[in-house]
Amino acid sequence: MRFTRWVLDGYRFTSRSSATNCRSFCTSQSMMSSRHSHAKRIEGLDKNVWVAFTSVAADPSIVNLGQGYPDIPPPSYIKEALASAASVDRMNQYTRGFGHPSLVKALSQVYGKVYGRQVDPFKEILVTVGGYGSLFSTMQGLVDEGDEVIIVEPFFDCYVPMVRMAGAKPVLIPLRRKSGKKTVSSADWYLDPKELSAKFSSKTKAIIINTPNNPLGKIFTRDELQVIADLCIKHDTLCFSDEVYEWLVYKGHQHVKIATLPGMWDRTITIGSAGKTFSVTGWKLGWSIGPEHLIKHLQTVMQNTLYTCATPLQEAVAQGLLLNCKLMGQPDCYFSSLAAELQGKRDRLAAILQEAGMTPVIPEGGYFMLVDVTPLNQDLSHMGEDEAYDYKFVKWMIQEKKLAAIPVTAFVGEESKKQFEKYIRLCFIKEDSTLEAAGNILRNWRTV
């Protein structure tokens, strides 16, 4: 009896202890999972087209016209300038947080010519980690919770997440396509002035434009920019102008900076990129240019986040800018010679796509080309219904044709997906051998 009672008492004690420990453990786990959860500002922002498709296209047997990086070499003098800068001991240490002095001075010289006004190198320029860093500093420094930011579709995919992380609401407006033309150009897409006007409200803090546009290649005309400028002035709204492809403008077209229009300098942040200017995307250097009363807020973000950028890279870019500043207007200037080289690649790729039965959208600028794959009538119903057609098409093309692209619905909101889901984006800043390999795939499209 005593033994039985001892066992039962022991069992009751163990059971109570186990229950207590379980409750304590479960409560602890619940608190831990709650504290380990993501911040609300990144809710729903975890999916990213670059993560999804660059990993798929990493197979060396795949011809990659997807991600927008050059496989042509950058100018030799820019690489030599980097090697030279790195050999100087002091260049391997921190530099000025808002931009290496020689770089901001070089930017001031180049853009002083472009803007037709003096640009203060220390108060009106901020150097950041790529165009991404410039956009991030702009959103964090100037956009507040409850604000609205108008974004033109198609847009570079980071705009919406950055607006949301700032606590603001993205307000999307699509470019509309003119109908009835046989040869399709990026100029055939336009902003409806009435539709745009209706997007402005008392909550509108800014509008983001991208010219030349990625992925479309559209260059906004002076008249189109004037419509935007008039609305910005009427509603006292800021303009964030992403112009990283500003030098890549093809024959017959002109890039106009919205900040040069009357009344726009004081309300515009213009974003530029060394990676796009000199074909060195891996260097991740960008800049913001604008009036002191706006740039100072971006500088506050920079000093409390990234602080500074790599000194040797900044020195090398400065040397490249100074060299080409002297050559502006001449055929040897890289600002214009790269566009001349790429125009031939653009036209070559467009001709191959037409032969394959697709409809290329000829870009006015940049180094991307939209392609309408509707004429192929490719049945992808076996791939399910959970993704837009272009996502399924690109995955199918990578697997079956060994050619990588980017789906265009990654650059638009939910309401515009039907308008763009039969388009893919190809990059043509590639070696002739890469374009030829893609051409071989496209020429044999129907036989593979």
Side-chain angles (χ1 to χ4, degrees), residues 152-401:
V152 179
E153 300 173 293
F155 50 78
F156 189 56
D157 70 301
C158 74
Y159 296 168
V160 166
M162 286 191 183
V163 168
R164 286 181 175 161
M165 280 192 283
K169 176 186 176 183
V171 176
L172 308 182
I173 177 169
L175 291 167
R176 304 289 185 186
R177 182 184 163 184
K178 302 172 189 173
S179 58
K181 292 190 68 178
K182 189 173 181 181
T183 303
V184 184
S185 161
S186 59
D188 296 331
W189 269 263
Y190 69 97
L191 264 181
D192 183 302
K194 290 184 179 178
E195 190 177 6
L196 177 61
S197 179
K199 297 293 182 179
F200 281 79
S201 74
S202 59
K203 294 183 178 180
T204 305
K205 182 63 178 285
I207 181 171
I208 305 175
I209 61 172
N210 179 204
T211 181
N213 176 272
N214 173 16
L216 183 57
K218 176 183 173 60
I219 296 176
F220 286 85
T221 65
R222 182 178 294 275
D223 288 344
E224 288 174 315
L225 293 173
Q226 189 63 62
V227 169
I228 297 169
D230 289 345
L231 287 167
C232 286
I233 293 168
K234 177 182 178 180
H235 294 275
D236 193 20
T237 298
L238 301 178
C239 179
F240 306 150
S241 190
D242 182 351
E243 302 180 19
V244 296
Y245 300 100
E246 62 188 310
W247 304 112
L248 301 178
V249 177
Y250 301 120
K251 194 173 292 185
H253 303 288
Q254 180 187 13
H255 173 66
V256 176
K257 288 184 171 294
I258 194 169
T260 63
L261 300 185
M264 288 304 291
W265 168 260
D266 284 337
R267 65 180 67 251
T268 302
I269 296 292
T270 305
I271 292 151
S273 164
K276 306 303 188 293
T277 299
F278 289 116
S279 304
V280 286
T281 59
W283 289 18
K284 292 297 294 178
L285 278 180
W287 45 80
S288 302
I289 298 176
E292 179 186 359
H293 71 270
L294 296 181
I295 290 293
K296 68 180 182 181
H297 302 307
L298 278 62
Q299 291 177 335
T300 299
V301 175
M302 183 70 181
Q303 75 186 20
N304 290 294
T305 51
L306 300 168
Y307 177 61
T308 192
C309 301
T311 309
L313 296 175
Q314 293 191 71
E315 180 64 24
V317 171
Q319 297 307 314
L321 288 170
L322 289 173
L323 173 63
N324 283 282
C325 186
K326 296 174 184 175
L327 297 172
M328 286 174 75
Q330 301 177 36
D332 290 343
C333 179
Y334 192 74
F335 299 159
S336 53
S337 66
L338 178 59
E341 178 186 350
L342 290 181
Q343 185 159 336
K345 295 178 184 291
R346 178 199 71 172
D347 295 345
R348 178 183 179 187
L349 180 59
I352 295 170
L353 289 162
Q354 287 170 330
E355 288 175 23
M358 305 181 202
T359 305
V361 178
I362 310 302
E364 303 156 90
Y367 48 58
F368 300 110
M369 183 180 296
L370 259 58
V371 184
D372 185 353
V373 299
T374 303
L376 299 177
N377 198 27
Q378 184 67 45
D379 181 13
L380 300 175
S381 57
H382 63 284
M383 297 184 70
E385 301 295 330
D386 59 330
E387 287 185 309
Y389 183 89
D390 58 340
Y391 268 77
K392 292 188 284 189
F393 184 91
V394 170
K395 288 178 180 178
W396 172 85
M397 186 170 69
I398 291 171
Q399 182 176 344
E400 298 296 329
K401 305 294 185 179

Side-chain angles (χ1 to χ4, degrees), residues 85-97:
S87 69
V88 178
D89 287 344
R90 64 182 175 82
M91 288 290 176
N92 293 291
Q93 308 305 326
Y94 294 133
T95 186
R96 176 177 174 268

